Amino acid sequence: MPEHDLLYPDPYLPPTFAGDPRTPPPRRLRRRDDLDDAGPTAGVLDAALGDDQRWSTWSAVEKGQRGPEPRPDWVVTADAAVDTELGVLKTGKEADVFLVERAVPDDAAQRTLLAAKRYRDLDHRAFRRDTVYTEDRRVRRTRDRRALDRKSRYGRQVAAGQWAAAEFAALGELWSAGAPVPYPVQIDGNEILMEFVGTSDGVAHEAAPRLARTRPDPDLLASWWDQLRDGMAVLARLGYAHGDLSPYNVLADGDRLVIIDLPQVVDLVANPFGTELLLRDCRTMSAWFAARGLETDADELFALLLAEAW
């Protein structure tokens, strides 16, 4: 069943992350790690934050948990920035995506919108075919491996973190290679902050629609097909297949396409299901474009991508 968009918060869904019972609330982070040095000012600053706010988590994560360089100019890295929850963008099978504004108060030059993707643990996920996509993944820590095998509470938390880490790593590598994916700003546990794909006038914000919800004219349809083919080729050259590509995880941001939802990205060599999943991606996308009048050939696309991979 496809994920559905919520361009505006649904009245039957929690308006902020703080009200979502499925995941812990956002942390109100100090601007210093050593609270002894922070003094009484830190408590005053924390008290000034609303229930839907927290200090920017940029400085709280380790270096390897931030996006690749060179970073886009719009990325806000100031310690004085505040993250404000603005609502739900979409709900999905394994995660929910929230709209977050990261901004330095009273500084319009340091203000940006982010998509915060927060993975649920296995108890709250509707997507169950994990093993097809994780055949080539290894867990280094013995404790984590045992917890995953036992499917304990800690093991379920490890699994959610694995999916988030896999997507963050894939986004970073693909963005650096020129693939049409959102820029990954940072990862913190089971939360990925990434580029918001959509439009904003500073007051109203609207996410780019899913490809499935669009009605392009013939010229735009042909352009989108070329972009999709080229994007899939970038993945293939790196040895990957999306693994779950469909019109529901491709965004149409005006004239450009953006590929999203990459936690299940698979290694075409290491994963025994890799080529099978790549062929499925080709057939799914070719069928959508063909149904709208564009002549496509899934087998030809598959052959092209295999040639790029090998």
Side-chain angles (χ1 to χ4, degrees):
M1 181 177 179
E3 301 174 355
H4 60 276
D5 290 20
L6 292 173
L7 301 183
Y8 304 98
D10 190 298
Y12 298 102
L13 288 175
T16 66
F17 183 43
D20 191 335
R22 293 171 296 193
T23 48
R27 295 175 294 168
R28 294 185 181 182
L29 299 177
R30 311 290 191 193
R31 283 192 273 184
R32 301 180 181 88
D33 292 332
D34 189 349
L35 295 181
D36 292 335
D37 295 337
T41 305
V44 174
L45 291 174
D46 279 353
L49 297 179
D51 290 338
D52 57 352
Q53 292 182 314
R54 66 185 181 190
W55 292 114
S56 166
T57 55
W58 176 263
S59 296
V61 299
E62 297 179 2
K63 184 176 180 180
Q65 295 175 324
R66 301 185 187 118
E69 297 182 350
R71 299 187 185 99
D73 293 339
W74 53 262
V75 176
V76 176
T77 63
D79 286 343
V82 174
D83 293 346
T84 302
E85 191 88 30
L86 299 180
V88 180
L89 286 174
K90 75 179 183 73
T91 60
K93 294 173 289 189
E94 71 280 335
D96 298 314
V97 182
F98 299 80
L99 182 62
V100 171
E101 180 189 63
R102 173 166 289 179
V104 176
D106 302 322
D107 187 349
Q110 297 195 71
R111 186 178 302 272
T112 190
L113 291 176
L114 302 172
K117 186 170 185 177
R118 292 162 184 150
Y119 279 84
R120 311 184 198 124
D121 64 35
L122 295 181
D123 288 340
H124 299 101
R125 292 177 59 188
F127 186 72
R128 299 296 182 182
R129 296 183 61 204
D130 290 2
T131 55
V132 173
Y133 301 102
T134 57
E135 281 290 325
D136 59 321
R137 298 182 189 173
R138 298 292 181 268
V139 180
R140 293 183 179 180
R141 294 180 58 189
T142 302
R143 180 196 176 198
D144 291 352
R145 287 200 303 268
R146 289 199 303 265
L148 285 169
D149 291 340
R150 291 198 303 267
K151 298 182 179 180
S152 64
R153 181 177 180 181
Y154 174 70
R156 292 192 293 272
Q157 293 174 344
V158 171
Q162 276 188 318
W163 284 88
E167 178 161 30
F168 183 76
L171 286 171
E173 185 175 3
L174 293 171
W175 186 88
S176 296
V181 298
Y183 176 77
V185 175
Q186 67 178 70
I187 182 172
D188 186 11
N190 67 342
E191 177 190 74
I192 301 174
L193 290 180
M194 66 184 79
E195 173 187 0
F196 168 67
V197 181
T199 59
S200 173
D201 60 6
V203 178
H205 320 293
E206 185 172 347
R210 304 299 183 94
L211 182 63
R213 297 178 180 272
T214 63
R215 297 293 182 268
D217 61 42
D219 290 340
L220 184 57
L221 187 70
S223 173
W224 281 352
W225 172 256
D226 291 341
Q227 292 180 52
L228 177 71
R229 181 196 59 220
D230 293 346
M232 295 177 72
V234 174
L235 270 74
R237 283 195 293 273
L238 295 174
Y240 299 131
H242 185 285
D244 192 31
L245 193 59
S246 80
Y248 291 94
N249 46 36
V250 177
L251 300 180
D253 185 30
D255 293 340
R256 70 166 183 148
L257 292 187
V258 180
I259 298 172
I260 61 170
D261 293 343
L262 289 147
Q264 71 293 312
V265 65
V266 294
D267 189 308
L268 288 172
V269 175
N271 190 308
F273 303 103
T275 55
E276 178 183 339
L277 293 170
L278 177 61
L279 177 59
R280 187 180 71 179
D281 287 350
C282 293
R283 288 174 174 171
T284 299
M285 298 309 300
S286 294
W288 188 88
F289 279 88
R292 281 145 188 83
L294 187 68
E295 185 176 347
T296 62
D297 188 324
D299 292 333
E300 180 180 315
L301 176 61
F302 181 60
L304 170 68
L305 297 178
L306 286 180
E308 292 284 354
W310 281 285

